[in-house]
Amino acid sequence: MLKVLGWLVLIAALIGVPHVLSFSQQEILVFLTINVLLVASYRLLTLTGEWSLAHVVIMGVGAYASALYSRHFGIWVPVSAGLGALTACAVALVLSFPLFRMKGFYFLIGSFAAGEIIRLLWKRFREPFGGPKGLKRIEGMPDLDLGFYTFDFFEPVAYYYLCLVVVGASLWVMWRIERSPVGLTFQAVHWQDKLAEAAGVNVRAWRTLAFVIASGFAGLSGALLAHYIGTINPNSFEVEHMVFVLTWAIVGGTATLYGPILGAIVLTVLNDILLREIGLEQWRPLIYGLVLIASVLFLPKGLESVVQRATRAARPAEPEPKPQEARP
Amino acid sequence: MSLLQVDALTMRFGGLTAVDDLAFAVEEGAIHGLIGPNGAGKTTTFNMISGFYRPSAGHVRFEGEEVTGLAMYQVARRGLVRTFQHSTLFAELSVLENAQVGTHTAHYPSIWTAMTGLDRAERQAARAQAERALDFFGLSHLAHERAGDLAHGHQRALGMAVALASEPRMMLLDEPFTGMNPEETKAMMRLMRKLKGSGVTVLLVEHDMHAIMGLCDRITCMNFGRLLAEGTADEIRNHPDVIEAYLGGTRHVA
Amino acid sequence: MDLLLQTGLNAVYAASYMALIAVGLVLIFGVMGVINFAHGELFMAGAYAVVALYADLAVPFLLAVAGGLLFVGVLGLVMERALFRPLRDNPLGGLVASIGFLLVLQALAVLLFGVRMEHVPPATQEIIAFSERVRFPLQRLWVVIAAIVLLSGLWLFLKKTRLGWALRASAQDPEAAALQGISINQTARIAMFIGAALAGVAGALSAPLVSVNPHMGHSVIITAFIVIIVGGIGSLEGAVVAAIVYAFIHTFVTTFWDGVIADIVGLTLMLLVLIVKPTGLFGTADRA
């Protein structure tokens, strides 16, 4: 009962929040929502124990693909966004062949190299990627006319609601995957790949599956980004952004689905809202850097561990809620 | 036709030949022991049969089909599963979840049904199969415990439960009696007989002679990578070559 | 022909600073087992030290370079004490912490010097002209000389001195070394100081030759990774050889095509090595 109430409050808050924010803050909210999808998809990847540095570039693949499909083939934007996500899946599938021969640190560096190569290809070739200047005047989402109300997706508030729906649905799907035997297999591959293999799991195929699904959602977030800001260029997806995603995941913790989301929200609020008020937003890398260091040194299990401890303390009678317990 | 047949099996690591031209067969329904002094090549043989190593030469046939050089997951999917020596478990997962991983082959998880939620029946069947495996080893009461927190003996049993959860034709057990006191050894021997009774063929690599002699229908003894002797427990117990191979060692042949 | 010679000279110059950076990174990894992602920022710190001392405060150039070397060496010591030592059992954590430090250094550079590119006037205008079209500025030659001198010095230090021997022992087997009475803390400090100082001196000497900006570390660290992967992650000799090989490839491709293509070639090379032989050309047992 309490749970249902909690969800209702959350939904009401999510719907209401843009109306108490200034215009620029509403824009930040849109970006935050998109980033929530990005970091949650990254977390899906880390479920199998892989930490890739190509994730933000793959987001860019979705962005570039969706922008190009809508421009060159005149495809309806919502569909081209879906195609952008699928393109990201395809690129991930291709990359999985060389990359999954590598483990651990080598995979990290290899994924970084692969991502950077893609990014440099965007930079080098003006046809069709627009070179260093990138793509401009990307189509926006078409207006949605519901009779009593027209959603003009040029407006941040409307686009935020769109993102809320898309991201919410995506998170739900990711949560379902995680709770299913598929998610269990991902974890088995992460913790003891030899034992998983002895149980009949084709470890390489399952790692690839996680990589492809995570990339699809990253591509989707890229498409959402492209059709909002209207211009993208290779620097929109450079390594600094990857480091921010990494920071959200590490600061928030990756044992639960909400961990990295928590990290993203806390750090975005801290940086983009608080610091901007004080006018110190240029200090973003400094704050992120210090927070990352402090997190690794003092809170290695992430913010989610704080939440878990708090909820445990509030419910002494109930058995300890385990994040990964598969329920039928 | 034997359930498992090994012919001319050889493993070379660079200049070292760990296993040389080994041949033996395991009959269906038997408990078959693989013994030998340290360094005899038992574990290497084991690893070749289960697909962990690719043999340098020779053949492994399971149910009449060639499985030589297949990957471990492919071998497992054919019904030949193995356990691991040390407590190799998914320590962070619950006992039940560990067993559920074992049902992977029989109830292959599908991403599509997972996303749409249409996999309810499949998941229930998988869970039931996992629970049966836990029940077999007397672990049901620990189903929701974290696997890493279990006592040593229970961890061993869980390792075997994970293998059993795939409802295999044959299990390869890698030194299941290591580090067990006489009580635990007796309990484990009971479990093995129970396994045999439920129709699972067992190939057992082990040092504990008491267990081997007490359980095995047939025993293959290796030394220096080669076949030394093969026969029933009595034959092996009295075999002069076997006794000599172990002479001066710390084993006592029960 | 002239173009080939000129490009060759440019490649020699590139090989010099790449070798300094890569060797520093390998030294840190070898002795401490941690990948220092902030290494490019240490290069940047050396460059900015020269900006501050030489360009702004008119300290003589070579003195400014020495100052840069010391300053960055000390930064290395700070990193060792504050980040890598507490995280010694957690190399992944150390890696992440170094990423955090990367951000901090970048941000500090922006705050102290601004985002614009700094132009440091050359300390010497002299040019060695081999012919009308083949010329090698003395400023660049200094980098080459510094690389040869410092790397030879390092080699002597590691092979001929007791302290150097202790470092190598620590890199091979830290536990055994500790049992022999070698202080892990001390070898870590030395490795970190030298490794950082090498990057810092490369940056300091490069300051008049490149555009100094807070993001210059980005391409430096990428280059460093390419070199050490190709050379073999635990190998100092490999780092030097790979630096030379890569510098030549990169410089020639840049001259005959363009810089972006050269970067793509470099990254592809690294990817190929990772796929085919991850331990690199001179691969030794690695601690990654």
Side-chain angles (χ1 to χ4, degrees):
Chain A
M1 189 55 226
L2 202 65
K3 238 186 173 180
V4 175
L5 204 62
W7 278 110
L8 285 176
V9 168
L10 181 65
I11 293 176
L14 287 173
I15 296 180
V17 74
H19 299 289
V20 302
L21 298 176
S22 70
F23 182 81
S24 62
Q25 286 172 336
Q26 286 170 350
E27 295 234 287
I28 295 172
L29 191 61
V30 171
F31 294 134
L32 175 59
T33 315
I34 293 174
N35 284 329
V36 162
L37 180 57
L38 180 64
V39 79
S41 69
Y42 191 63
R43 191 262 168 176
L44 189 65
L45 186 57
T46 65
L47 259 188
T48 54
E50 304 301 333
W51 289 75
S52 141
L53 290 181
H55 206 65
V56 164
V57 170
I58 291 180
M59 175 198 202
V61 169
Y64 269 92
S66 185
L68 289 171
Y69 293 149
S70 61
R71 174 180 298 181
H72 287 291
F73 302 113
I75 298 179
W76 197 45
V77 171
V79 171
S80 80
L83 290 177
L86 287 174
T87 309
C89 287
V91 168
L93 185 60
V94 169
L95 288 181
S96 73
F97 286 101
L99 290 181
F100 282 123
R101 288 163 168 256
M102 313 169 200
K103 294 265 302 269
F105 167 68
Y106 293 122
F107 177 78
L108 194 74
I109 293 292
S111 65
F112 173 73
E116 192 67 7
I117 290 175
I118 293 176
R119 213 180 60 83
L120 288 174
L121 288 172
W122 293 334
K123 206 170 178 182
R124 179 66 182 63
F125 293 105
R126 209 169 293 156
E127 279 305 313
F129 302 119
K133 293 231 172 78
L135 300 174
K136 302 203 199 300
R137 288 197 307 271
I138 302 174
E139 315 286 316
M141 284 281 170
D143 293 348
L144 181 62
D145 189 353
L146 289 180
F148 57 89
Y149 190 78
T150 303
F151 283 95
D152 174 7
F153 290 120
F154 198 68
E155 296 291 314
V157 179
Y159 207 81
Y160 162 71
Y161 288 138
L162 173 69
C163 289
L164 209 55
V165 169
V166 172
V167 172
S170 304
L171 288 178
W172 183 78
V173 169
M174 280 194 252
W175 185 77
R176 281 211 68 87
I177 291 176
E178 184 177 322
R179 292 284 168 167
S180 73
V182 170
L184 187 64
T185 311
F186 287 156
Q187 286 185 75
V189 162
H190 176 20
W191 295 115
Q192 297 276 7
D193 57 354
K194 283 285 160 261
L195 181 59
E197 200 167 333
V201 177
N202 180 350
V203 164
R204 169 99 165 258
W206 283 83
R207 281 213 166 99
T208 304
L209 182 66
F211 188 46
V212 166
I213 297 175
S215 299
F217 284 117
L220 183 61
S221 73
L224 284 176
L225 182 74
H227 294 293
Y228 181 66
I229 48 177
T231 70
I232 52 174
N233 60 67
N235 287 344
S236 317
F237 307 106
E238 76 158 355
V239 82
E240 195 179 49
H241 299 276
M242 185 67 238
V243 170
F244 291 151
V245 172
L246 209 60
T247 310
W248 297 330
I250 290 174
V251 168
T254 51
T256 63
L257 183 57
Y258 66 79
I261 297 176
L262 193 59
I265 293 176
V266 166
L267 285 173
T268 303
V269 166
L270 178 68
N271 174 76
D272 290 313
I273 310 253
L274 284 179
L275 288 185
R276 194 169 283 208
E277 292 305 305
I278 324 177
L280 288 176
E281 67 198 32
Q282 278 207 344
W283 288 39
R284 183 187 209 192
L286 184 64
I287 302 292
Y288 268 67
L290 291 172
V291 168
L292 192 56
I293 293 174
S295 182
V296 168
L297 285 175
F298 305 119
L299 197 65
K301 295 221 172 110
L303 287 173
E304 66 190 356
S305 65
V306 175
V307 173
Q308 284 176 326
R309 253 181 278 153
T311 49
R312 230 174 289 152
R315 292 191 254 156
E318 282 186 31
E320 185 174 299
K322 271 180 278 211
Q324 305 304 329
E325 191 177 338
R327 291 193 197 94
Chain B
M1 186 192 64
S2 317
L3 186 60
L4 177 73
Q5 187 131 2
V6 161
D7 284 308
L9 200 61
T10 306
M11 190 71 204
R12 281 183 281 269
F13 295 112
L16 172 73
T17 304
V19 174
D20 194 6
D21 204 33
L22 182 68
F24 66 91
V26 177
E27 301 305 322
E28 182 160 4
I31 298 183
H32 194 115
L34 184 61
I35 64 172
N38 274 328
K42 309 187 293 297
T43 307
T44 310
T45 303
F46 204 76
N47 285 335
M48 282 193 280
I49 296 173
S50 61
F52 192 50
Y53 293 157
R54 187 191 211 95
S56 311
H59 298 273
V60 179
R61 271 180 271 266
F62 182 67
E63 293 186 315
E65 287 184 9
E66 188 83 27
V67 297
T68 326
L70 285 183
M72 218 169 25
Y73 77 89
Q74 289 170 311
V75 173
R77 285 199 194 161
R78 284 170 191 246
L80 176 58
V81 300
R82 64 165 292 172
T83 62
F84 289 83
Q85 254 188 48
H86 311 289
S87 292
T88 306
L89 290 173
F90 305 112
E92 301 293 325
L93 303 179
S94 76
V95 166
L96 181 61
E97 285 167 336
N98 270 262
Q100 280 172 312
V101 175
T103 64
H104 182 90
T105 307
H107 297 281
Y108 194 74
S110 156
I111 185 74
W112 304 112
T113 55
M115 287 201 274
T116 54
L118 291 172
D119 59 348
R120 191 147 230 262
E122 190 74 11
R123 283 163 74 159
Q124 281 175 338
R127 187 189 165 111
Q129 191 163 321
E131 283 171 343
R132 278 200 296 277
L134 289 184
D135 197 42
F136 190 94
F137 287 95
L139 296 168
S140 299
H141 62 290
L142 298 167
H144 298 292
E145 296 294 313
R146 188 175 157 275
D149 294 335
L150 291 183
H152 180 67
H154 284 143
Q155 286 191 344
R156 280 301 181 70
L158 180 56
M160 292 172 61
V162 171
L164 185 64
S166 62
E167 294 185 349
R169 295 289 306 277
M170 179 165 173
M171 280 173 71
L172 304 171
L173 301 178
D174 195 352
E175 298 195 28
F177 291 94
T178 308
M180 285 196 174
N181 62 43
E183 279 292 309
E184 292 170 326
T185 304
K186 259 198 270 185
M188 183 59 88
M189 284 173 75
R190 267 198 302 269
L191 278 173
M192 297 234 182
R193 292 197 187 98
K194 200 174 162 190
L195 265 180
K196 177 179 174 177
S198 69
V200 177
T201 309
V202 173
L203 176 62
L204 179 59
V205 165
E206 188 47 63
H207 282 294
D208 184 335
M209 284 306 163
H210 174 73
I212 288 277
M213 294 299 165
L215 278 176
C216 297
D217 302 308
R218 268 194 99 68
I219 299 174
T220 300
C221 183
M222 289 176 71
N223 200 15
F224 299 121
R226 293 213 184 89
L227 178 68
L228 186 63
E230 180 164 325
T232 63
D234 278 325
E235 288 166 1
I236 292 291
R237 198 199 315 262
N238 297 311
H239 201 295
D241 290 338
V242 174
I243 295 173
E244 192 182 319
Y246 279 100
L247 206 62
T250 54
R251 310 274 168 269
H252 77 275
V253 180
Chain C
M1 188 57 201
D2 279 347
L3 186 58
L4 284 178
L5 278 175
Q6 179 67 62
T7 312
L9 286 173
N10 294 342
V12 168
Y13 154 68
S16 307
Y17 70 76
M18 284 185 192
L20 285 170
I21 295 165
V23 166
L25 194 56
V26 170
L27 190 63
I28 293 172
F29 175 70
V31 173
M32 299 170 64
V34 74
I35 307 284
N36 178 20
F37 258 79
H39 208 65
E41 272 59 37
L42 293 176
F43 174 92
M44 174 195 78
Y48 271 108
V50 162
V51 166
L53 292 171
Y54 171 69
D56 292 344
L57 296 176
V59 170
F61 182 68
L62 289 177
L63 215 56
V65 170
L69 188 157
L70 279 172
F71 171 61
V72 180
V74 167
L75 267 183
L77 290 176
V78 167
M79 284 186 80
E80 193 277 324
R81 187 62 192 87
L83 302 177
F84 296 141
R85 198 184 300 183
L87 292 167
R88 192 169 283 160
D89 298 321
N90 180 6
L92 187 63
L95 189 156
V96 172
S98 73
I99 294 181
F101 199 68
L102 177 169
L103 290 173
V104 168
L105 285 178
Q106 249 183 39
L108 285 176
V110 170
L111 287 171
L112 293 172
F113 294 96
V115 186
R116 278 176 22 253
M117 299 200 270
E118 302 281 337
H119 288 290
V120 177
T124 166
Q125 302 273 26
E126 282 187 45
I127 297 180
I128 304 176
F130 292 99
S131 76
E132 170 104 356
R133 306 252 292 259
V134 181
R135 323 167 93 210
F136 201 48
L138 193 61
Q139 190 79 53
R140 289 191 168 199
L141 185 61
W142 285 353
V143 179
V144 179
I145 295 174
I148 297 174
V149 166
L150 288 171
L151 291 177
S152 314
L154 181 65
W155 185 84
L156 284 170
F157 170 70
L158 288 175
K159 289 270 199 289
K160 309 278 185 189
T161 70
R162 199 183 300 164
L163 212 48
W165 182 91
L167 237 72
R168 283 162 53 214
S170 230
Q172 288 257 25
D173 191 339
E175 275 157 24
L179 285 172
Q180 295 247 1
I182 295 173
S183 154
I184 299 191
N185 284 346
Q186 193 187 35
T187 52
R189 273 197 297 259
I190 296 173
M192 201 64 216
F193 181 87
I194 297 178
L198 285 174
V201 90
L205 285 168
S206 300
L209 295 163
V210 300
S211 61
V212 179
N213 68 79
H215 292 283
M216 70 194 299
H218 175 77
S219 64
V220 167
I221 192 70
I222 295 176
T223 303
F225 280 139
I226 296 175
V227 168
I228 69 174
I229 294 281
V230 170
I233 199 162
S235 165
L236 291 167
E237 303 85 3
V240 174
V241 171
I244 297 173
V245 168
Y246 179 62
F248 270 82
I249 295 176
H250 194 271
T251 310
F252 274 84
V253 174
T254 305
T255 305
F256 290 100
W257 285 280
D258 63 61
V260 179
I261 298 271
D263 287 340
I264 294 178
V265 167
L267 288 164
T268 310
L269 178 64
M270 174 161 92
L271 215 51
L272 283 172
V273 170
L274 283 171
I275 295 171
V276 172
K277 187 176 193 271
T279 46
L281 285 176
F282 287 71
T284 52
D286 68 86
R287 291 162 58 165

